[in-house]
Amino acid sequence: MHRLSRRGFLGAGVGTVGAAAVACATPGGGEAAKGGQGDEATDAQGADAAPLAGQTVAFDGPHQAGVQTASQANLALISFDLNEGVDRAGVRRLMNLWTEDARALCGGKNPVGGLEPEMVQTPANLTITVGFGEPLFDKIGLPDQRPGFLHDIPAFEHDDLDPRWGQTDLVLQICGDDAISVAYAMRHMIRSGVDYAHTRWFQRGLSHADGSMADGTTPRNLFGQKDGTVNPHGDEEYDQQVWIDAAADGAPDWLDGGSVMVARRIAMHMDEWEKLDRNSREVVIGRDLPEGAPLSGGDEFTEPDLTKTDETGLPVIDPKSHMALSRDDEKYDAEQRLLRRPYTYDLEPEPGSGDASNSGLVFLCYQRNPDKQFSAIQRRLDGGDRLNEWITHIGSSVYALPPGVGEDGDSYWGQRLLEA
Amino acid sequence: MHRLSRRGFLGAGVGTVGAAAVACATPGGGEAAKGGQGDEATDAQGADAAPLAGQTVAFDGPHQAGVQTASQANLALISFDLNEGVDRAGVRRLMNLWTEDARALCGGKNPVGGLEPEMVQTPANLTITVGFGEPLFDKIGLPDQRPGFLHDIPAFEHDDLDPRWGQTDLVLQICGDDAISVAYAMRHMIRSGVDYAHTRWFQRGLSHADGSMADGTTPRNLFGQKDGTVNPHGDEEYDQQVWIDAAADGAPDWLDGGSVMVARRIAMHMDEWEKLDRNSREVVIGRDLPEGAPLSGGDEFTEPDLTKTDETGLPVIDPKSHMALSRDDEKYDAEQRLLRRPYTYDLEPEPGSGDASNSGLVFLCYQRNPDKQFSAIQRRLDGGDRLNEWITHIGSSVYALPPGVGEDGDSYWGQRLLEA
């Protein structure tokens, strides 16, 4: 009897769970195959003894994997700038290389020329996702192909952005349930691209382990909050909120079926937060801690009643709470919802800082248009969110994620852009 | 049908897998219960849907957990110095607090006064282990109770030690399969002890995920080597190599049943290592890459034949290889073997360093006497190990681990020392 992980059943509408996840371009979403059993990979380890090892997420499909995929335990977000003199032809060669390498690694296969075949045998739901930053388009001589909404997130009053985590030409998001496989995939991708691009920053993140959360449970961050309750579920909501429809969104054709990732690094001031009692923590968020239910009642997935008042006439959900302010706009349900896929960072305090913690979120969100989605919400939060006292945005970058690759689409990442 | 993880069957001779892991002091080794099902913890999440969540490692027993326990996916190693003015009575109160808190956290229960009961529900094989550093003994007025072998590891020629990772008064080793639970446990223990001790450094480490390796498989490090092949197996070898027999080892009585942990931070120069072809990598180590078998033949667990020569008369295993030099002493089998429990670190490169990687090992090893075990081996390696070209020891510290707690022993960590 073989146990499949919870992740095999989450994240996408089409529950394709089975063999040959690597080669197939599943109609309706390649990423749906998360948790499928890559036959190649399990031979080496013995499937029954290591149920997680050979689980693969389909690489090919209309959308890139790693977005509509249940969060894996580990994140390595690596950004790059092009090397001096690399032009559009160079980026085309890089994307050809990276696409082949990523497909092999995510399928538990040794990439061409790889000297460490032992290190690829446990993909454990590995996904590798590419993104293009605003500066790339001038460098490859295609400024007209830059989508209008691909620019720096507007400056907000409470931001304290460090250029160390700033905008770059390219990004790779590598996620997986085995930290060693993620570390190896990162090394391989960096080496593979070394003639074309060099690293700018790494952001490592952690989430709950595969098997540590019941199916459909929303993960918690270090403030103890459930984070991701209002995320989209199912293909229809992903189409509404996440995947770009080029014609409807006024986006260039090459981005049809893609998305936009906003990566914010958010420091969480643990020492101060932990001085609050539980009631205050719940007021700040607008939800209770045990269930993540709105303070107006119900369970985690009950719609909050922002108009409900207590016996003294005060609103039960503070209008300045994080949850209330996020939603306080008539456009919220119509166009501002987005996919959040946050990871926790928890590092050594900077030497000499005197801090006892260096923790926070690598907050990743995905949407069709960051001007209308992330920035619209963040403008409200910046103006009054009670939570601002305990968090600071310290890094910001934005990347257009080209659509997936496979039989019916691009043969390598960004083909329609790079052969424009 | 409930699937227990591979970790439930590893790490100890007594395979006690079952309920009530928290309260029982299993004869022969409390740590043997790793993978047992903490009933308290699973109620909250649903055991079948989250098979890893409620798995607990018994806290009470003759030895501390976290040593004879199969490596979990995450390590947080945190060191502390005593606050100004904290004396023996203060340390006694700290150890009382920490023992109770660690027992609760490892059992998936809310520690007394804990404001985040939601964060303790997925212990996922959490272990918390305490160690006492050399400087502690003078500070608590018990210099005579310091074991003679508890001092800085001798300086070696190839060391490049950074005091940032140096000796401290105390250490907590927190390991678990869920990164968020480990992060929370670390926060709780730091806060709990804040009146008595402050943090000096954190060392975070990663290993393979639960479920990603077949039973009994030796994990690999980022050089692609299997690391831990010659570790002890079973209670008898642990008694020979790891657990202190106070009378036989000339150690103070309070340390009977304890051990000594040496923590070395070892930078691995990935960029240079990856320039080697596979054959050269195997010569440097003395083992092949696919199986970890000695180059003299056989499989991973075959004894190497250091005298075997090829047709030209040269030794098949280079005498300067890492494996050959580790063993090149008549005392090796009799008294130098030890337990290695290495974790990988894989961090952002230091800003401005120009490096493309910042990777290596938090190399933890456990023994009865570091003078006779770690230092004896390291002296040979420092003198000639071919691997020295690709690794540098950059941090060093040593801690005496008091024995476990429970009905038949100390009622809190270090009781026999602190009430001496």
Side-chain angles (χ1 to χ4, degrees):
Chain A
M1 175 58 202
H2 194 84
R3 167 181 283 276
L4 283 173
S5 113
R6 73 174 180 106
R7 300 199 204 274
F9 304 99
L10 287 178
V14 184
T16 309
V17 174
V22 177
C24 72
T26 315
E31 71 284 6
K34 181 161 201 249
Q37 200 64 35
D39 28 8
E40 187 88 358
T42 44
D43 287 344
Q45 297 281 350
D48 283 321
L52 179 60
Q55 285 185 23
T56 54
V57 179
F59 181 78
D60 291 283
H63 313 299
Q64 287 193 72
V67 178
Q68 193 171 348
T69 305
S71 291
Q72 301 101 317
N74 297 277
L75 163 74
L77 191 72
I78 323 144
S79 78
F80 300 84
D81 278 346
L82 296 185
N83 294 344
E84 192 73 30
V86 170
D87 58 7
R88 194 188 320 168
V91 175
R92 206 182 294 144
R93 284 192 294 273
L94 173 62
M95 290 301 141
N96 264 293
L97 272 174
W98 269 0
T99 304
E100 292 308 311
D101 285 345
R103 180 185 288 121
L105 289 164
C106 295
K109 293 177 175 165
N110 196 28
V112 174
L115 279 181
E116 297 91 0
E118 297 84 8
M119 299 297 277
V120 306
Q121 292 170 356
T122 57
N125 296 317
L126 186 70
T127 58
I128 304 180
T129 313
V130 77
F132 301 152
E134 180 187 9
L136 182 75
F137 294 84
D138 280 345
K139 292 187 183 179
I140 61 173
L142 292 170
D144 295 346
Q145 293 296 318
R146 181 177 65 77
F149 46 67
L150 191 67
H151 53 72
D152 287 350
I153 299 297
F156 293 115
E157 186 187 334
H158 287 93
D159 287 353
D160 186 17
L161 302 182
D162 187 333
R164 176 175 170 187
W165 312 111
Q167 186 62 52
T168 67
D169 295 343
L170 295 167
V171 78
L172 288 175
Q173 170 197 290
I174 304 180
C175 294
D177 282 316
D178 185 83
I180 305 300
S181 296
V182 168
Y184 178 73
M186 180 172 81
R187 285 294 305 164
H188 182 88
M189 296 297 283
I190 292 171
R191 276 185 294 165
S192 169
V194 75
D195 290 339
Y196 306 99
H198 56 277
T199 57
R200 275 278 306 277
W201 44 250
F202 297 171
Q203 300 195 53
R204 303 298 304 260
L206 302 164
S207 187
H208 286 285
D210 187 61
S212 76
M213 304 274 289
D215 294 6
T217 309
T218 309
R220 292 180 191 271
N221 61 35
L222 292 184
F223 279 176
Q225 309 159 236
K226 290 191 179 181
D227 201 338
T229 296
V230 295
N231 270 345
H233 296 281
D235 284 350
E236 192 179 336
E237 289 185 15
Y238 273 84
D239 284 341
Q240 286 164 2
Q241 300 176 29
V242 177
W243 302 126
I244 289 171
D245 176 333
D249 294 331
D253 276 349
W254 66 267
L255 194 51
D256 194 54
S259 190
V260 180
M261 176 176 79
V262 175
R264 302 283 281 192
R265 193 170 180 90
I266 305 178
M268 295 165 66
H269 310 305
M270 299 301 299
D271 296 350
E272 296 304 312
W273 177 256
E274 288 163 353
K275 288 176 187 162
L276 295 180
D277 61 24
R278 281 176 67 85
N279 183 52
S280 303
R281 296 181 197 187
E282 292 177 332
V283 168
V284 166
I285 302 300
R287 294 179 176 276
D288 74 12
L289 283 163
E291 300 298 329
L295 295 180
S296 51
D299 64 23
E300 179 186 352
F301 298 104
T302 303
E303 275 297 298
D305 179 358
L306 302 178
T307 66
K308 188 172 178 178
T309 53
D310 63 16
E311 62 278 11
T312 69
L314 289 171
V316 174
I317 298 176
D318 186 319
K320 297 290 190 188
S321 68
H322 184 70
M323 191 256 290
L325 215 53
S326 299
R327 290 165 173 259
D328 186 25
D329 191 299
E330 60 191 14
K331 290 184 181 165
Y332 175 74
D333 279 319
E335 66 174 46
Q336 293 181 354
R337 284 175 180 252
L338 43 67
L339 169 66
R340 290 175 290 162
R341 213 166 176 278
Y343 279 84
T344 290
Y345 72 84
D346 185 38
L347 298 169
E348 295 83 15
E350 304 282 337
S353 70
D355 294 332
S357 69
N358 179 4
S359 304
L361 292 181
V362 183
F363 177 88
L364 304 180
C365 66
Y366 307 82
Q367 56 232 291
R368 293 166 67 173
N369 182 330
D371 289 339
K372 295 184 178 175
Q373 294 169 280
F374 174 79
S375 297
I377 299 171
Q378 187 57 28
R379 192 168 297 115
R380 290 197 298 277
L381 294 176
D382 185 62
D385 183 5
R386 291 211 183 282
L387 190 58
N388 289 340
E389 196 169 334
W390 297 278
I391 62 173
T392 306
H393 289 237
I394 60 173
S396 185
S397 55
V398 190
Y399 299 92
L401 312 184
V405 294
E407 277 177 27
D408 300 324
D410 289 341
S411 66
Y412 62 88
W413 280 331
Q415 181 180 22
R416 274 175 288 171
L417 169 66
L418 296 165
E419 298 181 4
Chain B
M1 178 53 204
H2 193 84
R3 167 182 282 276
L4 283 172
S5 110
R6 72 177 179 104
R7 301 197 204 275
F9 304 100
L10 287 176
V14 183
T16 310
V17 174
V22 178
C24 71
T26 315
E31 72 284 6
K34 179 159 204 251
Q37 200 65 34
D39 27 8
E40 187 88 0
T42 45
D43 287 346
Q45 297 283 350
D48 283 321
L52 178 62
Q55 286 185 22
T56 54
V57 180
F59 182 78
D60 290 284
H63 313 298
Q64 287 193 74
V67 179
Q68 193 171 346
T69 305
S71 290
Q72 300 100 318
N74 297 278
L75 162 74
L77 191 73
I78 323 144
S79 79
F80 300 83
D81 278 347
L82 295 184
N83 295 344
E84 192 74 30
V86 170
D87 60 5
R88 196 189 319 169
V91 175
R92 206 182 294 143
R93 285 193 293 274
L94 174 62
M95 290 301 141
N96 264 294
L97 272 174
W98 270 359
T99 305
E100 292 307 312
D101 285 345
R103 180 186 287 119
L105 290 166
C106 296
K109 292 174 177 167
N110 195 28
V112 174
L115 279 182
E116 297 91 358
E118 297 85 7
M119 298 296 278
V120 307
Q121 293 171 356
T122 56
N125 296 317
L126 187 70
T127 57
I128 304 181
T129 313
V130 77
F132 301 153
E134 180 187 10
L136 181 75
F137 295 84
D138 280 346
K139 292 186 182 179
I140 61 174
L142 291 170
D144 294 347
Q145 294 295 319
R146 181 179 65 79
F149 46 68
L150 191 68
H151 53 71
D152 287 349
I153 299 297
F156 294 114
E157 187 187 334
H158 287 94
D159 288 352
D160 186 16
L161 302 182
D162 186 334
R164 176 177 170 185
W165 312 112
Q167 187 62 52
T168 68
D169 295 343
L170 296 166
V171 78
L172 289 175
Q173 172 198 289
I174 305 180
C175 295
D177 281 315
D178 186 83
I180 305 300
S181 297
V182 168
Y184 178 74
M186 180 171 84
R187 285 295 305 165
H188 182 88
M189 296 297 283
I190 291 171
R191 276 184 295 165
S192 170
V194 75
D195 289 339
Y196 306 99
H198 56 277
T199 56
R200 275 279 305 278
W201 45 250
F202 297 172
Q203 300 194 51
R204 304 297 304 261
L206 302 165
S207 188
H208 286 283
D210 186 60
S212 76
M213 304 274 291
D215 295 7
T217 307
T218 309
R220 293 182 189 270
N221 61 34
L222 291 185
F223 280 177
Q225 306 160 237
K226 289 190 177 182
D227 202 339
T229 297
V230 296
N231 270 346
H233 296 280
D235 284 351
E236 193 178 333
E237 289 184 15
Y238 273 84
D239 284 341
Q240 287 164 3
Q241 300 175 30
V242 176
W243 302 125
I244 289 170
D245 175 333
D249 294 331
D253 277 349
W254 66 268
L255 196 49
D256 195 53
S259 189
V260 181
M261 177 176 78
V262 175
R264 302 283 280 191
R265 193 171 179 89
I266 306 179
M268 294 165 66
H269 310 307
M270 300 299 299
D271 296 349
E272 296 303 312
W273 177 256
E274 289 166 352
K275 290 177 187 163
L276 295 180
D277 61 25
R278 281 176 68 86
N279 183 53
S280 303
R281 297 181 196 185
E282 292 177 332
V283 168
V284 166
I285 302 300
R287 294 180 177 274
D288 74 14
L289 283 163
E291 300 298 329
L295 296 180
S296 51
D299 64 24
E300 179 185 351
F301 298 103
T302 304
E303 275 295 300
D305 179 356
L306 302 177
T307 65
K308 188 172 176 179
T309 52
D310 64 16
E311 62 278 12
T312 69
L314 289 170
V316 172
I317 298 176
D318 186 321
K320 297 289 191 189
S321 68
H322 184 71
M323 191 256 292
L325 215 53
S326 300
R327 292 166 171 258
D328 185 25
D329 190 298
E330 61 192 13
K331 290 182 180 168
Y332 176 74
D333 279 319
E335 66 175 44
Q336 293 180 353
R337 284 174 180 253
L338 45 68
L339 169 66
R340 290 176 289 161
R341 214 167 174 277
Y343 279 85
T344 289
Y345 72 85
D346 185 37
L347 299 169
E348 295 85 14
E350 304 283 338
S353 70
D355 293 334
S357 69
N358 179 3
S359 304
L361 292 180
V362 183
F363 176 89
L364 304 180
C365 65
Y366 308 83
Q367 56 232 292
R368 294 166 68 173
N369 182 329
D371 290 339
K372 294 183 178 176
Q373 293 169 281
F374 174 80
S375 296
I377 298 171
Q378 188 56 29
R379 193 169 295 114
R380 292 198 296 279
L381 294 176
D382 186 62
D385 182 5
R386 292 212 181 281
L387 190 59
N388 289 341
E389 196 169 333
W390 296 278
I391 63 173
T392 306
H393 288 236
I394 61 173
S396 185
S397 56
V398 190
Y399 300 91
L401 311 184
V405 294
E407 277 178 27
D408 300 325
D410 289 342
S411 67
Y412 62 88
W413 282 331
Q415 181 181 21
R416 274 175 289 171
L417 168 65
L418 295 165
E419 297 181 6

